[in-house]
Amino acid sequence: MIIRPIVPDLGERRPERGRRPGERIVRIVRPKSFRLTGKGRYEAKDSAYESESGLGHAFQRVRRVLIGRALRSEAEALERVSKKVGLALFAPDNITSSAYATEEIMRVLVLAGIAALNLTEPITVAIIAVLAIVIVAEIRVIHAYPQGGGSYQVASENLGMIPGLVAAAALLIDYTLTIAVSTAAGVAALSSALPAVHEHRVLFAIGLIALVTLANLRGLRESGLVFAGPTYLYLGSYFALIGYGVFLMLSGGLPSYVPPPQWLGSYERNAEALTVLVVLRAFSSGAVALTGVEAIGNSVPAFKKPEPRNASLTLVVMGVCFAIIFGGLSFIGGALDIVPDPNEAETVNSQITRTLVGVGPFYYVVQGITALLLLFAANTSFSGFPRLASILARDRFVPRQFAFRGDRLAFSTGIIAVAVLASLILAAFGGSVTRLIPLYTIGVFVAFTLSQTGLVRRWWRLRNPHWRLSIGLNAFGAAVTAVVAVIVAVTKFEFGAWMVLIAMPLLVALFYGINRHYRAVEDELVADPDELRVEPLQPIVVVPVSRLDRAALRALSFASGLSRDVRALHIDDDEASAKAFQERWTKIVPEIKLDVVTSPYRALLPPLQSYLDDIDRDDTRRPITVVLAEFVPRHWWEYALHNQTALRIKLALFFRPNTVVIDVPYHVPPEERAP
Amino acid sequence: MKPKRILLPLAGAAVDADVVRLAALIGKPNKAQIEALHVIEVQWNRPLDADLTEDEVRAERLLEAAEEVGRSVGITLQTEYVAARTAWSAIVHEAEQRNVDLVIIGMPYRRRMGQVTVGRTVQNVFLKAPCEVIALRDRAVPA
């Protein structure tokens, strides 16, 4: 005997006779796909996620090959990193700016003639000075927010919602552009060594973005070992290169560099006057050097204890490494009188390396490791953008889908969104680093300015020990970054910065609008205390029936269990067949009321909707429930031949108020399947 | 001994993993079907179909742990749990119902008054099972 409770539980209890007379055993049949964890609580097992259909199973296998096995939520453990590993993980975004910062300064200065390139070094020094100020200010952020405070959090907490949203918009734009610029720069480094790549640089770049996207969807954890090797090889290679260059400079053995005459001619022919504006533009181009500084501040909890101290030291080391490489390349480039390639086929770094050491194994190592590390820099944004988007989704400023973690614990929606956006931007700008740079730095400096200003407010409010010093440092940091932001916006406005200046407020408006919508919906849905009860509703059930077959009978049986008020509706375009249907109905299902409507214009939906409007008018408190019979064919490719009417009805009724639509599928029983 | 069907009564003791490993050792060459059983003993002052959620959650955990051990040694363990008044009676009943050839039962190491003791369950299964029985005693605990 099997005991079947009125409200069935998952699983079953089967009493059985035991060995001895009067003895009983209760066999507990466990649910196949759920594990009991408490009274009325279950956990879905792996088998609950397995598809039962052949097509679904095949799709899951393809997904598993591409993205990997699903991970359980508790698999996301926070691994603490040392300073050495932290530098490798979080510094590439900033350090790799040295791959193109010198070149971008030169590209602007050379517009005023070859002689203007002499200003490269002083501009480099100015940028390094700004970097030092930003790093000192960022250390205050690290100590103020040891739990990892991004500019969005700092600005929101201390300045309010709108400044927080501006910071968020600036950061999201910055993350997207980091991927576009880093990938374009990586391809440029590759094409310097392999010229054939240059012609197809956009395709290459999009292909690389796709690869990194897949890696991130697989939940590629920034494994210390994976990143450490290339990062330290990059640092080692450039330190060696710069050390060798300095040695040659000091010993008077610097090789001579001769640019192609057509380059010189091209620049001299089109030279404009060297004005303050040109110098400021060159400065703002080189200011890309300051991108990536916030990566360490956002990742403080990832460091070993004491986290703020270790993160701060790593930030300082990062800044020093970058300053050595950036400064070294600028000075050596100046000493060699390097001229940037007007066709962008070879990078300035490649020219410097080639001139110093020739085209040998070391040259290819430098170019290769530069390209690889630029990809790693792009990868940092693949975790930054989705993480920030998930926080915004939690705060209801972006759609909730951005908070969803996929099979591999990665924020899949954010990863795919940033990949698509970066690819589109990269394609639109022809894969050119120089054309992308004007858009790049504004977001960073706006975010910096807001977070520094937020900190000033915080110190003023909290009055911690040394609050005056903290305010001074952060106020100075905010002022410097604000000035740089204005310089970048003004000097790069016509070259593309206007797009970012328009995009930021539009994004803020979008975030605000989404939040307002979610809050309005919340207000609509949250029940008042006196509404917190369940009152049974007796729906009016309507079953559209075109044919009295097994599917229809199943739907009618189901409908009869829902309510006492069930009516069938038959819509026919022929009076005679409608009458015949009615007569057959009276013989077979007399207990259910049938309404027959003849539709002279042969349409189904308008008469159905009008019928529902009419019965709804009688009692608007009772929901109308439309029960639809749906035949489920044996094979998926047969779906297109069935249920189109049911689908049309569902779509038509979806937005109808006070209406519930229920599908009652009819599956062909196994024994009736064709051999 | 070439058993085709082996029953492993598991009590959630430390020796359970060794019981599964021993079953794999004996059963794999014969492609035997290996089934693990846990018996929830229900006290006489409670009805047999009482709410046993806590015991069931424990049973789920120990059977899953056994399945994991089984996977690590290359066998697929069928697992089930039942509620009964006495464990030994349910085990013997299952052994009879399922027509098993061998029961491997774990014996926790216990000493009473200086002597190693055999519990009531192991004793009765040993005496009354309709098939061969191997009792695997847990390692001795240092005094």
Side-chain angles (χ1 to χ4, degrees):
Chain A
M1 181 191 72
I2 295 168
I3 298 171
R4 294 196 190 282
I6 295 165
V7 179
D9 282 328
L10 293 176
E12 208 175 327
R13 301 171 109 71
R14 291 191 194 145
E16 292 175 3
R17 277 209 198 105
R19 279 183 74 239
R20 297 174 292 188
E23 197 173 43
R24 280 201 314 153
I25 286 171
V26 174
R27 189 175 306 281
I28 297 155
V29 180
R30 294 135 80 198
K32 190 179 86 152
S33 301
F34 297 92
R35 175 188 296 121
L36 184 70
T37 57
K39 184 139 182 79
R41 290 200 320 271
Y42 300 87
E43 184 184 282
K45 290 186 193 172
D46 290 357
S47 56
Y49 299 92
E50 294 292 330
S51 175
E52 288 184 2
S53 72
L55 185 66
H57 197 64
F59 176 73
Q60 280 182 329
R61 283 181 76 172
V62 169
R63 204 179 143 97
R64 210 165 283 165
V65 165
L66 282 177
I67 295 174
R69 288 197 159 276
L71 296 174
R72 295 173 65 89
S73 299
E74 51 267 20
E76 195 190 22
L78 195 62
E79 292 170 14
R80 299 294 181 122
V81 299
S82 63
K83 292 189 284 292
K84 280 197 200 65
V85 174
L87 184 72
L89 285 177
F90 306 120
D93 191 0
N94 174 250
I95 287 176
T96 52
S97 305
S98 57
Y100 45 85
T102 303
E103 176 159 353
E104 293 310 314
I105 294 171
M106 287 182 167
R107 282 198 181 281
V108 175
L109 289 173
V110 83
L111 296 174
I114 302 294
L117 289 171
N118 291 326
L119 291 172
T120 305
E121 293 95 317
I123 289 175
T124 299
V125 170
I127 289 171
I128 291 174
V130 172
L131 176 67
I133 294 165
V134 169
I135 284 177
V136 169
E138 186 69 12
I139 288 173
R140 308 307 302 155
V141 175
I142 287 173
H143 286 275
Y145 288 87
Q147 72 275 24
S151 299
Y152 164 65
Q153 187 178 343
V154 177
S156 299
E157 271 185 29
N158 298 291
L159 298 175
M161 181 175 72
I162 297 295
L165 292 181
V166 172
L171 281 173
L172 290 176
I173 292 171
D174 181 55
Y175 285 134
T176 310
L177 288 168
T178 298
I179 293 171
V181 170
S182 297
T183 314
V187 171
L190 263 179
S191 70
S192 300
L194 304 165
V197 169
H198 182 71
E199 205 186 319
H200 308 287
R201 58 186 175 173
V202 173
L203 266 169
F204 256 99
I206 292 176
L208 286 172
I209 290 176
L211 213 64
V212 179
T213 304
L214 199 59
N216 278 273
L217 286 173
R218 287 187 70 97
L220 171 74
R221 294 285 171 264
E222 290 138 323
S223 160
L225 285 174
V226 171
F227 276 64
T231 302
Y232 286 104
L233 184 58
Y234 181 94
L235 290 174
S237 308
Y238 274 97
F239 286 165
L241 183 73
I242 288 160
Y244 183 59
V246 168
F247 166 73
L248 290 177
M249 274 169 70
L250 295 174
S251 63
L254 214 54
S256 65
Y257 163 80
V258 181
Q262 58 269 33
W263 292 8
L264 297 176
S266 157
Y267 285 130
E268 291 303 336
R269 265 196 310 275
N270 302 313
E272 37 181 270
L274 179 62
T275 59
V276 171
L277 189 64
V278 171
V279 174
L280 287 176
R281 267 174 53 198
F283 172 85
S284 59
S285 286
V288 292
L290 287 108
T291 56
V293 172
E294 77 287 351
I296 289 179
N298 292 347
S299 310
V300 176
F303 282 85
K304 286 184 178 156
K305 291 182 187 304
E307 298 94 335
R309 184 174 174 276
N310 288 334
S312 303
L313 282 171
T314 308
L315 182 63
V316 169
V317 170
M318 179 189 83
V320 168
C321 289
F322 172 79
I324 290 172
I325 298 174
F326 177 41
L329 287 171
S330 293
F331 276 84
I332 293 172
L336 287 171
D337 293 322
I338 294 287
V339 174
D341 177 357
N343 304 312
E344 296 184 40
E346 190 181 7
T347 64
V348 161
N349 285 13
S350 167
Q351 291 182 66
I352 293 172
T353 312
R354 183 167 51 78
T355 306
L356 286 179
V357 301
V359 180
F362 184 72
Y363 168 80
Y364 287 108
V365 165
V366 170
Q367 293 309 111
I369 201 63
T370 302
L372 183 62
L373 216 66
L374 282 161
L375 262 190
F376 284 1
N379 191 58
T380 312
S381 291
F382 267 103
S383 56
F385 182 105
R387 197 179 307 134
L388 176 57
S390 75
I391 295 172
L392 289 169
R394 180 202 66 195
D395 294 344
R396 298 185 295 177
F397 288 111
V398 300
R400 286 192 199 120
Q401 291 90 312
F402 283 91
F404 171 69
R405 279 187 185 270
D407 284 356
R408 304 284 293 177
L409 294 171
F411 293 112
S412 317
T413 311
I415 288 170
I416 293 170
V418 75
V420 169
L421 286 169
S423 301
L424 286 173
I425 291 169
L426 200 133
F429 285 81
S432 163
V433 176
T434 302
R435 290 176 61 196
L436 283 165
I437 288 294
L439 287 80
Y440 192 14
T441 29
I442 299 177
V444 171
F445 285 100
V446 167
F448 272 147
T449 306
L450 287 167
S451 75
Q452 298 301 312
T453 310
L455 275 190
V456 168
R457 198 120 185 251
R458 181 186 163 88
W459 302 133
W460 179 259
R461 201 175 67 237
L462 296 178
R463 310 284 174 110
N464 287 346
H466 310 299
W467 62 273
R468 287 190 181 83
L469 173 66
S470 299
I471 283 183
L473 282 170
N474 287 121
F476 185 56
V480 167
T481 54
V483 165
V484 174
V486 168
I487 291 173
V488 172
V490 167
T491 57
K492 298 291 185 182
F493 187 84
E494 59 177 306
F495 299 101
W498 63 268
M499 293 185 224
V500 175
L501 293 172
I502 290 175
M504 271 200 285
L506 284 178
L507 273 176
V508 172
L510 180 65
F511 296 157
Y512 186 76
I514 290 173
N515 182 257
R516 213 168 65 157
H517 166 77
Y518 278 131
R519 280 190 285 122
V521 167
E522 174 99 354
D523 290 342
E524 288 293 318
L525 289 177
V526 168
D528 293 330
D530 59 342
E531 290 175 321
L532 289 173
R533 62 183 181 278
V534 172
E535 284 179 1
L537 291 170
Q538 273 288 320
I540 301 169
V541 182
V542 176
V543 186
V545 179
S546 62
R547 213 172 75 135
L548 202 51
D549 55 19
R550 285 178 183 165
L553 287 168
R554 185 169 164 79
L556 287 163
S557 302
F558 175 82
S560 303
L562 285 179
S563 171
R564 281 188 290 269
D565 189 349
V566 179
R567 54 195 82 183
L569 172 67
H570 177 74
I571 298 176
D572 209 317
D573 55 9
D574 179 68
E575 183 72 39
S577 73
K579 200 170 168 201
F581 184 90
Q582 195 169 29
E583 281 164 11
R584 189 161 174 250
W585 183 277
T586 314
K587 288 183 192 137
I588 297 171
V589 201
E591 65 274 22
I592 295 182
K593 178 179 182 311
L594 171 72
D595 286 329
V596 176
V597 171
T598 312
S599 174
Y601 296 103
R602 300 161 300 284
L604 169 66
L605 292 177
L608 172 63
Q609 286 169 315
S610 300
Y611 178 84
L612 296 177
D613 290 341
D614 278 342
I615 58 172
D616 204 4
R617 205 172 290 137
D618 292 338
D619 188 351
T620 54
R621 289 170 308 166
R622 297 173 67 192
I624 305 284
T625 301
V626 178
V627 174
L628 295 173
E630 285 203 55
F631 171 70
V632 181
R634 289 188 204 109
H635 307 110
W636 63 268
W637 57 84
E638 293 164 352
Y639 280 13
L641 301 174
H642 298 277
N643 302 318
Q644 301 309 310
T645 308
L647 186 62
R648 282 168 52 215
I649 294 175
K650 279 189 278 192
L651 285 169
L653 297 181
F654 186 73
F655 294 102
R656 191 178 185 281
N658 199 37
T659 307
V660 176
V661 180
I662 297 179
D663 280 329
V664 180
Y666 177 80
H667 296 260
V668 178
E671 58 270 20
E672 290 186 25
R673 285 172 199 245
Chain B
M1 188 192 289
K2 291 188 179 175
K4 285 293 183 195
R5 208 161 171 178
I6 304 174
L7 181 67
L8 312 179
L10 302 177
V15 71
D16 284 359
D18 288 332
V19 165
V20 174
R21 288 189 198 107
L22 178 61
L25 210 59
I26 296 172
K28 260 172 87 172
N30 306 302
K31 294 191 176 50
Q33 190 175 324
I34 305 175
E35 299 167 21
L37 173 76
H38 174 69
V39 181
I40 299 172
E41 276 191 322
V42 182
Q43 300 298 317
W44 288 95
N45 61 344
R46 294 171 76 196
L48 207 53
D49 50 10
D51 178 14
L52 302 169
T53 306
E54 270 182 42
D55 298 296
E56 288 185 49
V57 170
R58 187 175 161 268
E60 289 263 11
R61 278 200 214 120
L62 74 91
L63 288 175
E64 277 190 9
E67 283 170 9
E68 188 59 43
V69 173
R71 274 191 289 271
S72 71
V73 293
I75 57 166
T76 305
L77 210 57
Q78 310 288 334
T79 58
E80 197 174 9
Y81 58 85
V82 298
R85 295 293 180 199
T86 51
W88 71 261
S89 182
I91 292 165
V92 171
H93 171 74
E94 290 299 312
E96 287 168 349
Q97 290 286 300
R98 300 181 197 201
N99 236 353
V100 302
D101 306 310
L102 172 66
V103 172
I104 305 177
I105 186 164
M107 218 175 98
Y109 180 77
R110 274 195 211 114
R111 288 179 78 93
R112 206 167 277 161
M113 316 240 291
Q115 304 266 352
V116 174
T117 57
V118 178
R120 191 170 45 109
T121 304
V122 173
Q123 213 170 68
N124 282 297
V125 168
F126 228 83
L127 292 171
K128 292 174 178 148
C131 57
E132 288 164 314
V133 179
I134 294 174
L136 180 65
R137 202 208 72 186
D138 201 358
R139 292 183 195 93
V141 173

